Amino acid sequence: LSTEQNLYVHPDQSNFGQFVSAVLQASVTNGYTVSQDQPNADDDHFDGDDITLPTTPLTSLLSLTEGAVGGAVLAGYGSTYNPNSYYWSHLDTAFLQTMDMEAIATAATLLARAALAAAYDDGSGDSDTSAQYATNLVPELSSTDETLLELADCLYVHQNCNLFRKYAKTETVNDEQRTGINLGSPIVSATTPPNYRVSVYDWTYGQPVVQVGNEFYGAY
């Protein structure tokens, strides 16, 4: 989704949001630059600000804390919504959309550096020093990295891949030891290619369930 090798950071108005934005902009990598979105109409539905925030968990966090906890969103577009996005539609598939592995690798590098910079900061908000510290410790992730490509194949193409199966088998064993019930593999109903459309909320999509006798009951 990046535009001409440029990513966009959307911070809220908190000091932490501005700090993260500054760190991301200072942590340029793989030939990419990071720009802060340009405020325009107040379309994120928060009174008293003019920042456009993409719909992400940050929006919920700001709402739940009434702005006491903030942050920033890293995206491949400079507006609240990507006008060409097929997110969660029947077109949201790697078979129809080209995945930019260079942009994904860059975003992963930037987010890792931002997390480390935030932990390193002593409260002074010195984004330049924190960004440099993180850049020195976190190397650039290559778009041809073997683990990255394997994980991308699992997420975008073959959800029943060997990597997912290995960890799912371990999770199934741990769940059975903890609950005394074989809950089955969490990827047993995975499709190929994966489909991320909005669907009925059930146990295959993360709904908590309890078993009473031979019956399963879902929690809402």
Side-chain angles (χ1 to χ4, degrees):
L1 294 177
S2 60
T3 302
E4 296 180 353
Q5 291 195 300
N6 187 74
L7 298 175
Y8 298 87
V9 56
H10 306 255
D12 74 326
Q13 292 183 321
S14 68
N15 290 335
F16 182 68
Q18 297 301 317
F19 169 82
V20 172
S21 176
V23 167
L24 288 170
Q25 291 179 77
S27 301
V28 180
T29 181
N30 288 332
Y32 276 73
T33 56
V34 178
S35 303
Q36 182 167 317
D37 74 319
Q38 297 300 314
N40 42 53
D42 184 9
D43 59 357
D44 60 358
H45 308 299
F46 284 93
D47 295 333
D49 71 67
D50 58 357
I51 303 298
T52 56
L53 289 175
T55 303
T56 64
L58 176 60
T59 307
S60 299
L61 182 64
L62 288 168
S63 178
L64 291 171
T65 65
E66 297 182 349
V69 178
V73 177
L74 182 65
Y77 46 92
S79 56
T80 304
Y81 297 100
N82 177 17
N84 298 318
S85 176
Y86 298 102
Y87 180 59
W88 271 21
S89 77
H90 66 284
L91 298 177
D92 185 13
T93 167
F95 281 63
L96 299 176
Q97 308 299 325
T98 301
M99 299 299 170
D100 188 342
M101 297 307 299
E102 190 73 29
I104 293 173
T106 299
T109 300
L110 292 171
L111 291 175
R113 289 177 177 175
L116 181 58
Y120 176 77
D121 181 56
D122 59 4
S124 63
D126 185 351
S127 58
D128 289 337
T129 299
S130 297
Q132 188 60 55
Y133 174 81
T135 299
N136 290 340
L137 285 182
V138 179
E140 297 182 12
L141 177 63
S142 170
S143 61
T144 59
D145 179 83
E146 184 176 327
T147 302
L148 173 65
L149 294 178
E150 183 179 16
L151 183 57
D153 181 70
C154 291
L155 290 171
Y156 299 137
V157 184
H158 303 107
Q159 209 163 15
N160 282 306
C161 62
N162 291 333
L163 178 65
F164 277 10
R165 285 187 172 278
K166 179 177 69 174
Y167 287 100
K169 181 179 180 181
T170 301
E171 183 177 350
T172 300
V173 172
N174 290 340
D175 284 342
E176 185 171 8
Q177 290 178 347
R178 185 173 62 253
T179 66
I181 302 172
N182 187 338
L183 300 175
S185 171
I187 62 171
V188 67
S189 61
T191 58
T192 301
N195 188 304
Y196 297 110
R197 283 182 287 173
V198 176
S199 186
V200 176
Y201 185 49
D202 63 14
W203 71 273
T204 60
Y205 288 92
Q207 179 190 19
V209 297
V210 295
Q211 181 179 5
V212 180
N214 294 324
E215 300 296 329
F216 289 87
Y217 299 89
Y220 289 90

